[in-house]
Amino acid sequence: MSTHINAASKGDIAETILLPGDPLRAKFIAENFLESPRLYNEVRGMLGYTGTYKGVPVSVQGTGMGMPSMGIYSWELITEYDVQNLIRIGTAGSFHEDIKIKDLVIGVAASTDSNYIHAFNVPGNYAPCASYKLLSKARDASEALKIPFKAGNIVSCDVFYEFGDWWKKWAEMGILAVEMEAAALYMNAAYNRVNALAMMTISDHFVTGERSTTEERQKSFTDMMKLALEMAVE
C-alpha cells in the first residue's frame, strides 16, 4: 500500500491514467467523461477515480502543484500500481504571441531549472522528453478529433512567482510555455521504462497578460480532456 494513495488496492487503477494537477479537474473528468467512475483515493484531497471510456478502463488522478508533488504521485502510480501510460493534462503559461489562451501545447521535451535529476545520480545533464508512443497517439487523436496542438520544448519551473523578465531568456531559446510538473514526470517514467506525455492548455499569457479564471481551468479545457481520453483508447 502506497503512502499517498493508500485507499487503493492493486487493480483499482488502470494502466492508462490522466494526471491533472487540480483534483477538482479529476472529479470533473470522472463525472462528465467516464462511465461508472469509482473514487479510489481521497488522501490529502488528491482525488483519484477509475472508470471506463469507450469500454476501456481509464483512471484520473490529481497530482497537486510542482515537481515534488508530481514526483510522488507518478512514482507511486508506476512502481506500486503498475501504471504504464501517464498523461499529464495541466495548464501552462505561453511565451509567444502566436500561442494563445486555450491553445493546446504538448511538451516534446521539458527543460527545467529544477535539481530533481539529482535523485538519479546521472553523470551529467539529462534531457527529459515525452514517450514517442504517446506522442504518436496524440497526433492520431488530434487528426481524428480535429483538435490541433502545438508541440515543442517547454520548461518546468520550481518557482511560480518569479521577478522580472526571466521568461524572455527561455522564449529566446524556443521554449513554448512554462509549467511546473512535466520534467519530473518524464524523469520518473524514463527511469521506470514506462510512457509519459505532458499536455497543457494555455491558461496564462506572458506577452499579453491574459489569465483564465479558476473555474475555466477546472471545467472549460475540455478539448485537452477529450484528446487525452482518445489517446487512452487507441
Side-chain angles (χ1 to χ4, degrees), residues 121-233:
N121 198 32
V122 297
N125 294 323
Y126 177 77
C129 59
S131 302
Y132 181 73
K133 177 181 177 181
L134 291 183
L135 191 58
S136 298
K137 286 179 178 287
R139 178 203 60 211
D140 294 344
S142 170
E143 292 173 356
L145 297 177
K146 307 255 187 305
I147 297 175
F149 63 81
K150 294 178 172 64
N153 204 344
I154 60 170
V155 62
S156 301
C157 289
D158 275 339
V159 179
F160 188 86
Y161 294 109
E162 296 198 46
F163 302 104
D165 291 334
W166 61 271
W167 60 275
K168 290 184 178 179
K169 294 296 184 183
W170 289 111
E172 288 170 1
M173 290 299 296
I175 299 294
L176 304 184
V178 60
E179 53 85 74
M180 301 183 72
E181 290 83 24
L185 172 62
Y186 287 175
M187 290 183 217
N188 282 359
Y191 184 82
N192 289 288
R193 305 294 193 274
V194 298
N195 303 302
L197 180 135
M199 177 189 309
M200 285 72 58
T201 300
I202 297 300
S203 60
D204 304 86
H205 209 293
F206 281 75
V207 180
T208 67
E210 295 173 87
R211 292 182 182 275
S212 302
T213 67
T214 300
E215 186 171 7
E216 285 173 332
R217 292 167 188 252
Q218 289 176 2
K219 298 180 180 179
S220 72
F221 296 160
T222 52
D223 278 355
M224 171 176 63
M225 301 170 191
K226 292 174 184 175
L227 192 60
L229 286 165
E230 201 64 29
M231 290 168 58
V233 300

Side-chain angles (χ1 to χ4, degrees), residues 33-117:
F33 291 97
L34 298 185
E35 299 165 11
S36 304
R38 183 177 58 80
L39 180 69
Y40 66 74
N41 185 68
E42 50 187 337
V43 177
R44 295 176 177 245
M46 282 301 160
L47 305 177
Y49 300 84
T50 296
T52 60
Y53 182 75
K54 296 185 177 180
V56 177
V58 179
S59 295
V60 56
Q61 170 71 55
T63 62
M65 295 179 68
M67 280 176 271
S69 190
M70 170 59 85
I72 289 169
Y73 285 99
S74 59
W75 186 270
E76 292 182 7
L77 288 165
I78 295 165
T79 63
E80 300 185 36
Y81 294 98
D82 299 325
V83 175
Q84 299 297 304
N85 305 296
L86 299 94
I87 305 169
R88 164 162 157 69
I89 47 169
T91 56
S94 171
F95 288 165
H96 301 276
E97 286 189 15
D98 63 338
I99 302 176
K100 304 181 186 305
I101 293 286
K102 294 192 177 180
D103 281 356
L104 295 188
V105 169
I106 286 179
V108 176
S111 298
T112 186
D113 61 6
S114 171
N115 195 33
Y116 190 89
I117 190 61

